[in-house]
């Protein structure tokens, strides 16, 4: 293939990007998006603060713009994210206990129903584990009871039975890290007890503090062996030039080596679109030119 999406499709995978609704009027941005990618993740527009700014009052305007753009251009959509401790609307941040649990359930039901049939996979729960210690992250959602994650998955399944349901997190790339093991054990438990989970998303924001690990392929394989798909959901890699390009290529080769690694999403198009305040972590430079990292990804997708 000659584009990321077409080359990934030849290997039975997708290649996606995070998209921001307010950039859909940027011709350079949209040109690259439509040419290269066949999956999109709304970067912020499906989050709780965006979709339910006042309790019970839903606003899907910006998220719908992205979904419409995707559908009109033959791209699928990853929904992000139904239940998360961050980017909650102020009213939810002020709830606790039963009221918060009910608000979470209602939010999941409403959002997953609004998009029923239009979402390839939902990040049902995002970032629920602590960075160290091997336990859950403390949050208002966690304080509603340890079962909040499985309740979120069962609620999403009831609302949109066709969507794949994912658990998504960062710093779960290195197989030896406590956080990776904690998520692995949760997924294993969910599969054993019939909690509806279909996929695990590894965000894969790589930087000096959490670099690409040499055991990344092992991590992907071990999650897949639990009977779930694995997806690389928010890939970006700090650095530049050939070093960065080599790491991007390694990530792609690792995914292709695992049959249940079904796709890769980068967290933005141009370096200037990145959530990172500085740095050059993506595949296109600020002018939209292909970087060495782009070529490494394309070559890895086309190898073999
Ligand atoms: O839209 C408002 C704007 O109206 C306001 O004037 C401006 C002033 O601060 O803020 C704008 O909102 C910002 C929003 O991005 C849209 O640009 C928020 O402040 C800012 O916090 C938000 O950052 C997002 C971040 O999640 C929030 O946690 C990033 O764009 C987004 O890339 C990032 O994505 C997360 C994933 O969802 C989960 N995994 C980690 C990843 C990177 O942090």
């Amino acid at each position: 293939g000659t584009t990321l999406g077409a080359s990934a499709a030849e290997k039975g995978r997708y290649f996606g990007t995070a998209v921001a609704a307010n950039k859909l009027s940027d011709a350079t941005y949209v040109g690259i998006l439509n040419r290269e990618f066949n999956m999109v993740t709304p970067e912020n527009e499906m989050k709780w603060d965006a979709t339910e700014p006042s309790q019970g009052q839903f606003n899907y305007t910006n998220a719908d713009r992205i979904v419409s753009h995707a559908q009109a251009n033959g791209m699928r959509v990853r929904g992000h994210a139904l239940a998360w401790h961050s980017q909650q609307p102020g009213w939810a941040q002020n709830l606790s206990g039963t009221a918060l649990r009910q608000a979470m359930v209602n939010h999941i039901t409403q959002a997953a129903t609004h998009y029923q049939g239009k979402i390839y996979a939902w990040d049902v729960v995002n970032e629920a584990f602590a960075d160290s210690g091997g336990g859950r992250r403390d949050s208002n959602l966690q304080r509603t009871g340890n079962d909040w994650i499985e309740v979120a998955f069962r609620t999403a399944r009831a609302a949109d039975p066709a969507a794949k349901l994912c658990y998504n997190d960062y710093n779960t790339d290195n197989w030896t890290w406590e956080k990776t093991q904690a998520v692995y054990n949760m997924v294993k438990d969910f599969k054993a007890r019939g909690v509806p989970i279909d996929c695990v998303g590894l965000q894969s924001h790589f930087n000096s503090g959490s670099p690409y690990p040499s055991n990344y392929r092992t991590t992907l394989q071990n999650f897949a062996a639990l009977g779930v798909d694995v997806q690389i959901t928010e890939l970006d890699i700090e650095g530049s030039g050939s070093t960065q390009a080599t790491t991007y290529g390694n990530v792609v080769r690792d995914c292709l080596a695992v049959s249940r690694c079904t796709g890769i999403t980068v967290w933005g198009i141009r370096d200037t679109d990145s959530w990172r305040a500085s740095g050059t972590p993506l595949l296109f430079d600020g002018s939209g030119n292909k970087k060495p990292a782009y070529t490494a990804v394309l070559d890895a997708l086309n190898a073999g």
Side-chain angles (χ1 to χ4, degrees):
T2 59
T3 65
L4 303 173
S7 300
E10 287 170 8
K11 294 285 162 61
R13 269 75 170 188
Y14 65 80
F15 208 97
T17 180
V19 166
N22 63 9
K23 290 176 182 160
L24 291 175
S25 52
D26 176 332
T28 304
Y29 181 88
V30 172
I32 301 170
L33 171 63
N34 292 355
R35 187 184 75 221
E36 298 287 345
F37 299 97
N38 53 18
M39 184 74 75
V40 300
T41 304
E43 188 171 358
N44 290 294
E45 293 79 353
M46 285 186 179
K47 292 171 180 175
W48 198 353
D49 61 350
T51 50
E52 196 180 359
S54 303
Q55 188 166 17
Q57 301 198 339
F58 288 80
N59 182 345
Y60 300 108
T61 308
N62 287 325
D64 284 352
R65 288 173 62 200
I66 296 175
V67 173
S68 297
H69 185 93
Q71 290 186 325
N73 292 280
M75 305 162 185
R76 291 181 293 170
V77 180
R78 292 191 90 266
H80 174 80
L82 292 170
W84 189 23
H85 69 275
S86 183
Q87 281 180 284
Q88 294 180 3
W91 62 265
Q93 293 176 38
N94 291 328
L95 293 181
S96 62
T98 308
L100 176 61
R101 176 65 70 90
Q102 285 174 354
M104 178 195 82
V105 166
N106 184 55
H107 182 75
I108 293 170
T109 300
Q110 295 292 327
T113 300
H114 179 81
Y115 288 109
Q116 187 182 30
K118 297 180 176 176
I119 301 294
Y120 164 71
W122 268 111
D123 291 331
V124 177
V125 170
N126 194 40
E127 302 176 0
F129 280 82
D131 289 334
S132 61
R136 295 282 182 84
R137 175 193 297 277
D138 180 48
S139 72
N140 61 346
L141 292 169
Q142 180 62 30
R143 291 190 291 270
T144 68
N146 205 50
D147 64 344
W148 73 276
I149 298 180
E150 60 194 87
V151 168
F153 276 86
R154 293 188 200 279
T155 303
R157 180 68 99 220
D160 187 355
K164 290 184 183 295
L165 305 182
C166 301
Y167 177 79
N168 192 54
D169 215 327
Y170 64 89
N171 284 4
T172 49
D173 315 290
N174 191 320
W175 179 243
T176 67
W177 286 13
E178 274 177 320
K179 189 172 175 180
T180 310
Q181 294 299 315
V183 173
Y184 178 85
N185 287 327
M186 179 191 72
V187 175
K188 189 176 181 184
D189 171 60
F190 279 12
K191 293 300 285 184
R193 290 192 295 113
V195 177
I197 183 168
D198 305 303
C199 37
V200 173
L202 277 66
Q203 293 183 9
S204 305
H205 294 289
F206 293 126
N207 54 44
S208 56
S210 104
Y212 164 78
S214 59
N215 58 25
Y216 191 60
R217 189 178 300 192
T218 300
T219 304
L220 295 170
Q221 258 158 359
N222 287 345
F223 275 110
L226 293 176
V228 290
D229 290 342
V230 290
Q231 297 161 357
I232 299 166
T233 53
E234 305 183 14
L235 180 63
D236 51 27
I237 302 173
E238 292 225 315
S240 62
S242 63
T243 306
Q244 180 185 52
T246 299
T247 307
Y248 263 106
N250 286 339
V251 169
V252 172
R253 283 182 284 275
D254 289 341
C255 181
L256 293 179
V258 177
S259 59
R260 292 198 77 160
C261 182
T262 59
I264 300 172
T265 295
V266 288
W267 206 240
I269 296 179
R270 300 162 300 196
D271 286 334
T272 45
D273 299 316
S274 173
W275 66 287
R276 294 186 186 280
S278 63
T280 55
L282 294 170
L283 301 179
F284 296 87
D285 70 19
S287 304
N289 300 306
K290 296 169 180 174
K291 295 166 55 184
Y294 171 93
T295 306
V297 168
L298 189 69
D299 289 351
L301 289 171
N302 285 325

